[in-house]
Every structure is written in structure tokens, then in C-alpha cells.
């Protein structure tokens, strides 16, 4: 009997294991289908919608989460229903998906949605804090009012992080109220730590000048926070103080941070902020800029060279310190002994030209034999002089073989024509040159030319035929950016001659272009063409190799080998599976080997992954956006794009928290070592290789 009993137990265990394995396989198959439908943006057949009610809570979560990227307003009622799901994970996914989808609703739709959430859902979910924050992405001023009435006055405080970030997200969209400011400032006490989110939200509100007095009422408590132990608090404080421009309370903390802060990111923000003040008689502040020109940290030096242009100081009527600073600036521009790297010389040239105008022309012309990297900066500086005598130089450089130099010259002609708008011959010559550059094979040049033609000074019917010729020559998806620019310009020109080409684009298998064409058609005819965009379109590029995706694990690690050191990134295949799949495939092909970091914005991002190094290149295909609730923190790795579902190979790494990027750019990894290297990378630094190391 004992033997039979043991045999029964063994058989039962085997059956149980098989049953669990079968369940896991069924779940796995459903999740793979969900991912595919999310990537294809397939909702018309109802299959993805059915998974919102699946018996498996993991499947429901994945399906609900998928709609955060799809952003289909027709399923909002089902997402709201899932706020009451028995699974907290499903509720959280529903809150995220609702926040993402609410951003594309009409004004009335947003009001209806926020009313439903505030009065029927809040207080009845497990994810109230998440829902409060998501409301900040799309809610109206009335939604903020209601949130502040309901939660802003509660004691003890509840949902502090969620409400604070909600206020910040409202402010990003230029929505605020007095109660929100009072709520934020109630947390600021120089004697105790403050959450960086609080200072970030105040900084965002301060971008609207009408709010300054309400914040200034608390400046005596806010300004001393330059002593905060959190550098994220200090860097947001620096920007805030620069916007308030109160010399009594703001100047001293800013100068202290600009000169002595131990975190370079704080110093960068403080230097930028100092440029907002009237500094003609402030020798100490000018001295700060002068010293920073030669700071050992390149981010600080380049920021000082750039921000100095915003001071509007004049050399001829300045004090001794001002005159010395201009002399130092000019020396960097001239660079007689090639002492300074091209980045310094380029930025100094632009700043010098902005400040001394036509007096800089002769100095700049001496650098026409500059390197490939420096020459576009010299051309940009020429335009900044605003001098009519540089017109011929800009016309010549607009034909340059280097696309960045040519694009800089075209943009320079645009600026010069706006400043010299009484020079009809200049405007006509510039217009002819811009039109001719639509025939270029360089996407950067074509895109720039098409964009400039939207400027009122060049907006004319004669552009339609050249734009259509360029449009017919371009190909999808390689030339998507240029195609979008041309479509937008055609929409503004409102010429029926473009209708045939635009209608054809409604059917292309690239939704961003089809949607752009629908908008342009509406601009020309007044009719809504959105329903003519295919409900379901197979993207040009797809890759659903789930077996391979499994082989690279959920969190594979890659190493970026640069001339400054190695950066290790942990990829997140759970949050962005097809982005990770595409990225790893490119790594295996050696695609990134020898590329450069073409875009650096101090205390924001470093960006690379463009094989052309211009900011317009990619792998020859586009992938879809994969949005997630993961937020942009220090060292987050995201995909660059020119709009939803236009990602390729360009990626960026954040140097500080950037909440305004959340839910708008795919996050697919994070830096796990080498953040110090990230913070030393400069424009044109080369990637030696990018390797898998898992």
C-alpha cells in the first residue's frame, strides 16, 4: 500500500507539473501575440481587446500595458474598467495606459475622462497615486483645481510624490494654480531636506512668468536650498532662481553654486541662470564667466561660452573685467596656436558673433579652412553677426559637400533674411538657393530646406512643384524625416496641386507619414482625412524572433567602448522587447562601431547611434515606440525619434532626471557602470565598439 501511495503521489506530481507547464506555455503564447499586436498597432480584429478580460492576470496586465503604446481612445472605457481589476499590477498598467491615451483626446474628451477618473475612480483603486500623476499628463486646469482641493489640503499628507509630479506634469503643459504653488512651497524648509520633485515642479511652474510673484513670496525659504545635500534639488533650484531674477535673493546663491558647487551639473545650471541677470555693473558675476571659460570640466567651459551670449554685454562700454572677458573670448575664436579644441572655438565664435555683430566677420573669415567639425559652427557664427556682407559667404557654403555645413548655411540665410528683410535681392537669391537644395541627396539638407520654406518670408506657391519633385524622389523609411517636413510645408502652402501626392501617402505602410498627410490634406481642403488612413497597416520592418529574444535574457548587458572609457548598459527587454531586439541585432552586426556622439547637451543627454554623424541617419528602417511607466532618471537609456513610431538606431543617455521625456520616448535600458564616463563624453567623441557581454 505504501508503494502504491508513493506511486500515486509521484504520478500526481508529474501531472501537476505538466499542467503548470501547459499553463505557462499558454501564457507565453498569449504574451507573444500581445507583443506582436502591440507592435503592429493591431486592434481592429478585437483579439487584443479580448485579452483585457483574460482569466490570467499576467495576460491582462500585458494587454492593458500594450495600450499605453498604442494609445487607442476607443478602448478607454475598458482601461477604466481595469482600474477595478483584482490585480494591482493590472490596475497600475491601466492607470499608465489611460494617462498615455488621454494625451491625444480632444478638449471635450479630456474633460469627460478627467471627470470620470476624479469623481468615480479615485478612492476606489489600489493605484490612486499613480492615477493622480497620470492626470497631470492630460488633465485640464479644472482637473488640477479638483486634485488640489481633494488632496492638497489633507493632513497628514497622502500621495505626496504622485501629486507633486502631477503638478509638475501640469506645469510642463503650462497649467498651474495658486493652490499648487502653496502646496509645493509648504514642503520647503531650509532646516530640513526637500524632495527633488518639489523643486522640479516649482522650476517648471516658474517657466510661466505670471507665477513669479507667488513663488517670490516664499523666496526667503527657497533660496537657502542651495545648501541642500541633493544635487538634483540644487540644479533645479539654480534654474528656478535664474527665472525669478530677483537680485536680492537669487544672485548670491547662484554665484556660489556657479563657482563652488561640487557637482558639475549644478554649476552648469547656475551659469546658465546667471546670464539672465543684468551684469554690466556686476564684476563678480562676469568674473565667474571668465574663469569658467577655462574650467577643467568641458561641460562647464562650453556652457559658460554659450551662456555668455545671453548677457548682452558690450565690450566698448563695459568695465575692465568685461573688456578682459571679451579679449579672452576673442582669443579662443582666433585660436592662434591651436590651443583650444574645436568645440571651444566653435562655441566661442557663435557667442562672439552674437555680441559684437559685424565686428566679428573678419575674424571668422580667417577660419574658413576649419576642420569638418568646426566649419558648421563658423558658418552659424557668420549668420549670427546679422551683417549683410556675409550673404555671399552663406550662399557659397550652402553648396558645401558636408551636409551639416550646408544645412547651417541654409539656416543662416533664413536668419539673415529675417534681419535684413528690406533687402529684396538677398531674399530672392536665398529663396532660389533653398529651392535648389531640395534636389540634394543629403537628407539633412533636404529636411532643412523644406522646413525653412515654411517661414513666412519664403512661403510661396512656387515652392509646390520643387517640393513635390523632392517628395517623389524620397523613399520610406530611409527618408522619413525629410518626407514629414515636406508634407508639413505642403499643408501650409494650401495648394490643390499637392492633393494627389498627399492622398497617395495616406496608404503608405508608415503611420506617421500617413497621419501627417491626413493633416496636410485637411489644411488644404478643410475635410477630415483621418478615416482614410488604413486602420491596419503592416509596417515595412518587423522582427518577431521570440526564440532569439529569449536567448538574450530579459536584462542583457552591453558595453560601449569609447575613447574616454567603457560604459555598461543593462537593457530592459521586458519593458521594450522589440527595441532591445533591434538594438542587439545592430550590436552584433557591428553597426555602432566607429560612430560618434553627435549631440551633447550638458546636464541633459549625450546622443549617438547615427552612422552618418549628422543626427539624420539611421539603420534604414523604423521601429515602433514602446512606452512604459519607467521614468527618466540619471543614466536612463532612451531611443531618439522624430515622433511616435519613428525610432531607428539613435539612442541617448540622460545625465539627470528628465520627467518631461517620460511616456514620450522609449526607455530600453540604464547605465549600470561608467556614468562618470557618460559625463565626460563630448561632441564627436567616437564609439570604438559596442559589444554584448552577457
Amino acid at each position: 500500500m505504501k508503494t502504491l501511495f508513493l506511486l500515486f503521489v509521484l504520478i500526481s506530481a508529474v501531472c501537476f507539473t505538466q499542467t503548470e507547464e501547459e499553463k505557462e506555455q499558454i501564457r507565453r503564447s498569449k504574451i507573444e501575440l500581445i507583443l506582436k499586436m502591440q507592435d503592429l498597432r493591431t486592434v481592429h480584429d478585437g483579439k487584443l481587446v479580448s485579452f483585457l478580460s483574460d482569466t490570467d492576470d499576467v495576460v491582462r496586465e500585458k494587454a492593458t500595458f500594450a495600450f499605453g503604446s498604442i494609445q487607442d481612445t476607443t478602448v478607454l472605457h475598458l482601461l477604466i474598467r481595469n482600474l477595478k481589476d483584482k490585480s494591482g499590477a493590472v490596475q497600475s498598467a491601466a492607470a499608465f495606459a489611460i494617462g498615455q491615451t488621454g494625451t491625444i483626446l480632444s478638449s471635450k474628451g479630456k474633460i469627460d475622462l478627467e471627470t470620470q477618473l476624479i469623481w468615480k475612480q479615485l478612492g476606489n483603486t489600489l493605484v490612486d497615486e499613480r492615477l493622480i500623476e497620470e492626470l497631470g499628463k492630460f488633465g485640464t486646469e479644472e482637473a488640477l483645481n479638483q486634485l488640489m482641493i481633494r488632496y492638497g489640503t489633507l493632513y497628514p499628507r497622502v500621495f505626496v510624490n504622485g501629486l507633486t509630479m502631477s503638478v509638475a506634469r501640469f506645469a510642463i503643459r503650462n497649467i498651474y494654480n495658486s493652490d499648487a504653488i502653496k502646496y509645493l512651497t509648504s514642503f520647503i524648509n531650509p532646516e530640513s531636506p526637500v524632495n527633488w520633485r518639489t523643486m522640479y515642479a516649482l522650476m517648471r511652474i516658474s517657466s510661466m512668468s505670471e507665477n513669479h510673484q507667488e513663488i517670490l513670496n516664499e523666496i526667503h525659504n527657497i533660496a537657502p536650498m542651495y545648501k541642500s545635500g541633493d544635487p538634483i534639488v540644487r540644479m533645479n533650484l539654480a534654474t528656478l532662481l535664474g527665472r525669478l531674477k530677483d537680485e536680492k535673493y537669487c544672485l548670491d546663491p547662484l554665484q556660489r553654486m556657479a563657482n563652488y558647487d561640487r557637482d558639475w551639473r549644478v554649476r552648469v545650471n547656475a551659469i546658465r541662470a546667471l546670464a539672465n541677470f543684468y551684469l554690466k555693473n556686476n564684476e563678480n558675476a562676469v568674473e565667474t564667466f571668465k574663469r569658467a571659460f577655462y574650467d577643467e570640466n568641458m561641460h562647464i567651459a562650453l556652457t559658460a561660452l554659450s551662456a555668455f551670449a545671453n548677457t548682452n554685454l558690450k565690450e566698448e562700454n563695459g568695465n575692465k573685467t568685461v573688456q578682459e572677458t571679451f579679449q579672452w573670448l576673442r582669443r579662443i575664436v582666433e585660436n592662434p596656436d591651436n590651443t583650444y579644441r574645436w568645440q571651444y572655438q566653435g562655441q566661442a565664435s557663435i557667442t562672439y558673433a552674437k555680441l559684437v555683430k559685424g565686428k566679428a566677420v573678419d575674424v571668422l573669415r580667417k577660419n574658413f579652412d576649419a576642420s569638418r567639425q568646426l566649419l558648421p559652427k563658423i558658418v552659424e557664427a557668420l549668420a549670427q553677426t546679422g551683417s549683410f556682407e556675409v550673404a555671399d559667404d552663406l550662399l557659397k557654403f550652402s553648396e558645401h559637400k558636408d551636409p551639416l555645413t550646408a544645412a547651417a548655411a541654409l539656416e543662416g540665410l533664413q536668419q539673415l533674411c529675417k534681419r535684413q528683410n528690406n533687402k529684396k535681392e538677398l531674399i530672392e537669391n536665398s529663396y532660389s538657393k533653398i529651392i535648389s537644395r531640395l534636389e540634394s541627396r543629403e537628407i539633412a539638407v533636404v529636411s532643412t530646406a523644406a522646413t525653412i520654406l515654411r517661414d513666412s518670408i519664403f512661403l510661396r506657391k512656387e515652392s509646390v512643384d520643387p517640393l513635390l519633385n523632392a517628395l517623389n524622389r524620397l523613399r520610406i523609411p530611409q527618408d522619413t524625416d525629410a518626407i514629414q517636413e515636406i508634407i508639413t510645408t505642403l499643408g501650409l502652402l494650401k495648394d490643390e496641386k499637392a492633393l494627389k501626392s498627399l492622398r497617395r501617402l495616406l496608404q503608405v505602410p508608415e503611420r506617421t507619414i500617413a497621419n501627417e498627410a491626413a493633416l496636410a490634406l485637411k489644411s488644404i481642403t478643410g475635410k477630415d482625412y483621418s478615416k482614410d488612413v488604413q486602420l491596419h497597416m503592416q509596417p515595412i520592418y518587423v522582427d518577431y524572433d521570440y526564440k532569439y529574444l529569449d536567448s538574450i535574457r530579459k536584462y542583457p548587458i552591453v558595453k560601449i567602448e569609447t575613447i574616454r572609457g567603457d560604459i555598461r548598459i543593462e537593457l530592459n527587454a521586458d519593458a521594450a522587447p522589440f527595441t532591445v531586439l533591434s538594438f542587439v541585432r545592430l550590436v552584433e552586426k557591428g553597426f555602432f562601431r566607429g560612430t560618434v556622439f553627435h549631440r551633447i547637451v550638458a546636464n541633459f543627454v549625450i546622443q549617438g547611434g547615427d552612422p552618418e554623424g549628422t543626427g539624420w541617419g539611421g539603420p534604414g528602417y523604423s521601429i515602433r515606440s514602446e512606452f512604459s511607466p519607467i521614468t527618466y532618471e540619471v543614466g536612463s537609456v532612451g531611443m531618439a525619434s522624430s515622433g511616435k513610431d519613428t525610432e531607428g538606431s539613435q539612442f541617448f543617455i540622460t545625465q539627470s532626471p528628465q520627467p518631461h521625456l517620460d511616456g514620450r520616448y522609449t526607455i530600453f535600458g540604464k547605465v549600470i557602470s561608467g556614468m562618470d564616463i557618460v559625463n565626460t563624453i563630448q561632441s564627436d567623441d567616437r564609439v570604438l565598439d559596442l559589444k554584448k557581454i552577457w
Side-chain angles (χ1 to χ4, degrees):
M1 286 295 291
K2 185 175 182 181
T3 302
L4 287 173
F5 176 74
L6 290 174
L7 183 61
F8 174 76
V9 171
L10 181 61
I11 292 171
S12 298
V14 171
C15 291
F16 177 76
T17 301
Q18 288 175 337
T19 302
E20 288 301 309
E21 288 177 354
E22 289 171 356
K23 287 181 179 179
E24 182 58 34
Q25 185 55 46
I26 291 171
R27 170 186 287 176
R28 182 181 185 79
S29 297
K30 289 180 178 179
I31 290 174
E32 288 181 358
L33 183 55
I34 288 169
L35 293 177
K36 182 177 181 179
M37 290 187 292
Q38 173 186 326
D39 191 58
L40 292 175
R41 306 302 193 229
T42 309
V43 295
H44 66 287
D45 62 3
K47 187 63 178 175
L48 183 56
V49 171
S50 71
F51 283 136
L52 293 174
S53 305
D54 197 86
T55 56
D56 186 337
D57 57 353
V58 175
V59 173
R60 293 198 307 279
E61 178 193 357
K62 289 291 185 182
T64 305
F65 177 73
F67 282 101
S69 293
I70 296 173
Q71 296 173 289
D72 184 353
T73 59
T74 66
V75 300
L76 270 171
H77 64 292
L78 297 176
L79 297 176
I80 292 171
R81 183 202 64 192
N82 277 10
L83 285 173
K84 296 180 180 178
D85 194 275
K86 63 182 181 180
S87 165
V90 175
Q91 289 190 26
S92 182
F96 169 72
I98 289 168
Q100 291 290 107
T101 307
T103 61
I104 64 171
L105 288 171
S106 64
S107 297
K108 182 181 182 304
K110 289 176 181 178
I111 292 172
D112 291 343
L113 178 58
E114 70 188 27
T115 300
Q116 164 82 320
L117 296 178
I118 292 172
W119 297 110
K120 295 184 179 180
Q121 303 302 323
L122 280 178
N124 297 308
T125 79
L126 301 173
V127 291
D128 281 0
E129 185 159 20
R130 172 97 241 174
L131 198 54
I132 288 169
E133 181 174 346
E134 294 295 331
L135 276 160
K137 291 181 179 179
F138 68 88
T140 67
E141 187 174 347
E142 179 58 23
L144 178 59
N145 291 339
Q146 293 302 326
L147 287 177
M148 297 316 303
I149 290 171
R150 187 163 177 177
Y151 298 105
T153 57
L154 283 181
Y155 290 95
R157 300 291 198 185
V158 295
F159 308 138
V160 172
N161 284 346
L163 186 55
T164 300
M165 284 310 300
S166 183
V167 169
R169 297 195 188 286
F170 275 107
I172 289 170
R173 298 183 298 113
N174 295 324
I175 296 173
Y176 87 105
N177 64 28
S178 297
D179 289 338
I181 295 175
K182 291 175 184 176
Y183 177 77
L184 296 172
T185 55
S186 72
F187 292 102
I188 294 181
N189 183 339
E191 304 302 319
S192 60
V194 63
N195 190 310
W196 71 265
R197 295 171 183 82
T198 302
M199 197 62 71
Y200 176 81
L202 280 170
M203 180 273 289
R204 279 293 175 179
I205 291 174
S206 71
S207 65
M208 296 167 275
S209 59
E210 63 268 24
N211 307 319
H212 287 184
Q213 189 54 53
E214 293 182 74
I215 301 176
L216 280 168
N217 291 338
E218 298 294 330
I219 191 65
H220 58 286
N221 285 325
I222 296 173
M225 296 309 299
Y226 76 90
K227 299 176 184 177
S228 169
D230 185 347
I232 311 298
V233 169
R234 301 198 303 275
M235 68 179 69
N236 283 298
L237 171 67
T239 303
L240 169 63
L241 296 180
R243 289 173 177 168
L244 296 179
K245 292 190 278 193
D246 183 287
E247 292 192 7
K248 178 180 178 181
Y249 284 100
C250 300
L251 260 180
D252 182 63
L254 280 174
Q255 285 188 228
R256 289 174 183 268
M257 287 188 283
N259 287 319
Y260 309 118
D261 200 278
R262 54 191 176 277
D263 192 300
W264 69 270
R265 298 170 301 174
V266 180
R267 293 186 64 195
V268 159
N269 282 23
I271 289 169
R272 287 175 180 149
L274 273 178
N276 293 338
F277 290 81
Y278 180 73
L279 302 180
K280 181 179 178 181
N281 299 316
N282 190 326
E283 291 193 46
N284 290 335
V286 176
E287 189 70 35
T288 295
F289 280 97
K290 187 173 72 169
R291 285 197 304 270
F293 288 171
Y294 296 94
D295 196 275
E296 62 181 12
N297 184 299
M298 198 167 172
H299 287 304
I300 293 172
L302 290 175
T303 297
L305 287 169
S306 174
F308 190 68
N310 299 326
T311 63
N312 293 316
L313 289 169
K314 304 296 181 185
E315 181 177 16
E316 58 273 14
N317 58 7
N319 55 41
K320 182 180 179 182
T321 303
V322 170
Q323 292 174 355
E324 286 180 352
T325 304
F326 271 87
Q327 290 169 10
W328 289 21
L329 183 64
R330 177 167 175 145
R331 180 170 179 79
I332 299 173
V333 176
E334 294 173 334
N335 199 8
D337 304 316
N338 290 320
T339 304
Y340 309 105
R341 294 180 61 179
W342 71 266
Q343 293 94 333
Y344 290 86
Q345 189 176 1
Q347 187 55 66
S349 297
I350 294 169
T351 293
Y352 190 66
K354 284 181 178 180
L355 292 174
V356 305
K357 305 300 182 186
K359 294 179 181 179
V361 173
D362 290 340
V363 179
L364 294 172
R365 282 177 172 163
K366 293 177 182 178
N367 290 318
F368 280 1
D369 60 348
S371 66
R372 172 188 61 83
Q373 301 98 323
L374 176 59
L375 190 56
K377 300 295 184 183
I378 298 300
V379 172
E380 182 182 347
L382 279 176
Q384 292 295 340
T385 66
S387 173
F388 179 71
E389 65 176 299
V390 304
D392 288 341
D393 296 319
L394 293 174
L395 288 166
K396 181 185 73 172
F397 279 120
S398 69
E399 296 283 354
H400 201 277
K401 63 181 179 179
D402 173 58
L404 291 182
T405 299
L410 291 175
E411 291 173 340
L413 287 170
Q414 178 188 19
Q415 291 180 40
L416 191 62
C417 288
K418 293 176 79 169
R419 292 181 180 181
Q420 303 280 348
N421 56 18
N422 61 332
K423 300 286 198 304
K424 292 185 178 180
E425 185 178 357
L426 168 65
I427 293 172
E428 291 307 311
N429 289 340
S430 297
Y431 174 75
S432 297
K433 183 63 67 176
I434 294 163
I435 286 291
S436 72
R437 297 308 281 147
L438 288 172
E439 299 175 4
S440 171
R441 294 185 179 275
E442 296 290 349
I443 298 305
V445 176
V446 177
S447 298
T448 301
T451 304
I452 292 171
L453 289 172
R454 294 201 291 270
D455 192 307
S456 59
I457 203 168
F458 297 124
L459 193 66
R460 50 184 85 171
K461 296 286 187 180
E462 302 94 287
S463 303
V464 174
D465 285 335
L467 284 165
L468 289 174
N469 290 337
L471 184 64
N472 292 331
R473 191 181 68 252
L474 298 173
R475 294 293 175 263
I476 299 170
Q478 298 92 326
D479 307 329
T480 297
D481 289 341
I483 291 170
Q484 286 181 290
E485 296 298 342
I486 290 174
I487 293 171
T488 303
T489 302
L490 287 171
L492 284 176
L493 287 168
K494 300 181 184 297
D495 194 311
E496 293 186 357
K497 196 184 297 184
L499 292 179
K500 183 178 178 181
S501 294
L502 292 173
R503 287 194 184 108
R504 174 178 56 83
L505 292 174
L506 292 173
Q507 305 303 314
V508 299
E510 196 72 40
R511 188 171 294 277
T512 53
I513 289 177
N515 288 336
E516 199 69 47
L519 290 173
L521 285 165
K522 183 176 181 180
S523 175
I524 297 171
T525 67
K527 299 177 182 178
D528 185 2
Y529 283 78
S530 59
K531 293 181 180 179
D532 294 325
V533 177
Q534 294 183 57
L535 187 61
H536 170 63
M537 56 179 70
Q538 174 80 30
I540 295 174
Y541 174 86
V542 296
D543 185 358
Y544 304 127
D545 192 341
Y546 298 109
K547 184 177 180 180
Y548 182 80
L549 197 57
D550 282 343
S551 74
I552 62 177
R553 306 188 311 170
K554 281 189 176 181
Y555 303 103
I557 297 173
V558 297
K559 178 175 65 174
I560 306 177
E561 297 176 350
T562 79
I563 61 171
R564 297 183 186 271
D566 295 345
I567 304 164
R568 293 191 180 217
I569 295 173
E570 181 184 78
L571 306 180
N572 191 331
D574 189 45
F578 296 128
T579 302
V580 169
L581 179 60
S582 171
F583 190 78
V584 171
R585 291 237 199 253
L586 292 174
V587 169
E588 291 179 331
K589 292 176 183 177
F591 178 88
F592 298 103
R593 191 176 302 132
T595 57
V596 298
F597 288 97
H598 61 274
R599 179 176 181 241
I600 309 294
V601 183
N603 195 22
F604 180 40
V605 299
I606 65 169
Q607 186 169 323
D610 176 4
E612 297 178 12
T614 62
W616 298 90
Y621 61 82
S622 296
I623 58 176
R624 270 63 62 204
S625 307
E626 295 181 292
F627 301 132
S628 74
I630 301 172
T631 55
Y632 278 94
E633 308 292 342
V634 176
S636 295
V637 185
M639 289 300 296
S641 75
S642 56
K644 186 183 175 186
D645 300 338
T646 61
E647 291 81 357
S649 59
Q650 292 189 40
F651 65 93
F652 60 87
I653 304 174
T654 53
Q655 295 174 321
S656 57
Q658 301 296 333
H660 70 286
L661 303 179
D662 297 346
R664 296 175 58 205
Y665 293 87
T666 301
I667 296 181
F668 70 103
K670 64 180 180 181
V671 174
I672 56 174
S673 70
M675 196 63 210
D676 56 329
I677 304 302
V678 171
N679 289 337
T680 62
I681 295 291
Q682 292 297 332
S683 182
D684 218 42
D685 279 354
R686 196 162 296 279
V687 173
L688 303 177
D689 206 352
L690 216 160
K691 298 176 179 177
K692 297 189 304 182
I693 61 171
W694 69 90

